[in-house]
Amino acid sequence: MIIRSKSISELHEGMGLGKPAHPLITIVDTENLSYGEELIGMKFTSDMYCIALKDKGCGIDYGRNAYDSDNGTLIFTAPDQVFKVAKAQKLNEVKGWMLYFHPDLIQKSALARKIDQYTFFDYAVHEALYLTEQEQQTLNQIVNLIRHELNGDTDEHSQQVLVSYIELMLNYCARYYERQLTTRSVQNLDIISRIETLLKDYYQNNDLIESGQPTIQYLASRCYLSPNYLSSLLSKETGRSAKDHINDFLVEKAKHLLLSSNDSVSSIAYSLGFNYPHYFARVFKQKTGKTPQEYRQI
């Protein structure tokens, strides 16, 4: 059974907290939370987005990943993501905060149209954002501004101000994630090498014919990463998306087949996992500037 919180009020009730100051957004201080062993193994989800800053492992598993970290770690969850309680928690055991906001809060704002661009809401927990002390202070300042707005008088500008603070926080987080990807460049190069090996093995094992083209999900799962995090990493390190890496690999194989065999273009397209030859021709021309037939005449 999965227990769902559909609103901020239901969330507060489930956590044993008082009435929320706002129906669509709240800040929960983690030191005020406690739960016993009777909740271990229970699954929870909500209709809300959550940004959570924790100072250490909080006894919660998201998906298949355990959350366990050092100081200043930020995790993001989107609506419908499921977490499971892995251990009990005492009052004042975990320091930090959780910012929950319902999609209705941003529904009529520009943020609603770009929220999907903040792909870290779909990162796995082990891809959490590890903050420097200064970065943590910056986000804490924004949280304090949101607290001040929630505790003040509500007027016609309140919702716009709250949404602006959330967007500001997300923009800082995007910057911090770029910094994290940069500082992990050596580790990232190992992953890029792993991607190249996976693609070569996939081709040599004839998986293209049997299973179709490798997907971003396939590559990410074998690197123990989420698809969005892998795409962000590759874009940062190479300037090319995960899909570009797959297509570039396939086009290189197509070049070899076009020049070393008499197979038809359609046959080559199918052997490389393309369901439609015209789509293969379009991808090939995008990458080389020539159609497959033109390239074969070289």
Side-chain angles (χ1 to χ4, degrees), residues 34-197:
S34 65
Y35 36 86
E37 295 183 357
E38 70 277 2
L39 293 184
I40 294 177
M42 293 188 66
K43 296 180 179 180
F44 299 85
T45 188
S46 81
D47 291 358
M48 275 75 72
Y49 289 94
C50 179
I51 305 170
L53 177 67
K54 308 291 181 66
D55 70 342
K56 62 178 180 179
C58 60
I60 289 178
D61 292 345
Y62 289 90
R64 297 180 179 177
N65 298 288
Y67 172 74
D68 191 13
S69 63
D70 296 324
N71 293 349
T73 302
L74 209 63
I75 57 175
F76 303 82
T77 56
D80 299 323
Q81 289 185 344
V82 177
F83 68 88
K84 180 176 65 176
V85 175
K87 64 181 182 181
Q89 178 177 313
K90 299 178 182 178
L91 288 173
N92 299 311
E93 183 178 356
V94 178
K95 304 295 183 182
W97 45 260
M98 295 185 290
L99 171 64
Y100 282 92
F101 63 94
H102 196 282
D104 286 351
L105 179 73
I106 64 172
Q107 188 174 31
K108 296 181 180 180
S109 69
L111 179 58
R113 296 188 292 273
K114 59 184 291 190
I115 190 73
D116 289 341
Q117 296 177 19
Y118 300 104
T119 55
F120 39 76
F121 277 108
D122 291 317
Y123 287 174
V125 167
H126 67 283
E127 300 155 353
L129 177 56
Y130 297 90
L131 301 172
T132 66
E133 185 175 345
Q134 182 176 354
E135 290 169 351
Q136 188 171 338
Q137 289 175 356
T138 298
L139 296 187
N140 283 337
Q141 289 173 356
I142 298 175
V143 166
N144 287 334
L145 288 171
I146 294 175
R147 289 185 198 271
H148 179 75
E149 188 65 30
L150 291 175
N151 293 330
D153 295 331
T154 301
D155 57 32
E156 61 181 7
H157 300 285
S158 296
Q159 186 160 332
Q160 181 179 351
V161 170
L162 289 169
V163 172
S164 296
Y165 287 148
I166 292 172
E167 185 169 4
L168 178 62
M169 178 180 288
L170 293 176
N171 287 335
Y172 270 114
C173 292
R175 170 189 281 180
Y176 299 157
Y177 255 118
E178 185 170 346
R179 181 269 307 157
Q180 179 165 294
L181 290 170
T182 300
T183 56
R184 296 184 177 183
S185 58
V186 174
Q187 177 184 346
N188 295 344
L189 291 177
D190 289 340
I191 294 172
I192 294 171
S193 177
R194 171 69 174 153
I195 293 296
E196 294 173 353
T197 299

Side-chain angles (χ1 to χ4, degrees), residues 262-275:
N262 293 320
D263 294 343
S264 68
V265 172
S266 294
S267 178
I268 290 173
Y270 291 131
S271 72
L272 293 175
F274 288 90
N275 293 326

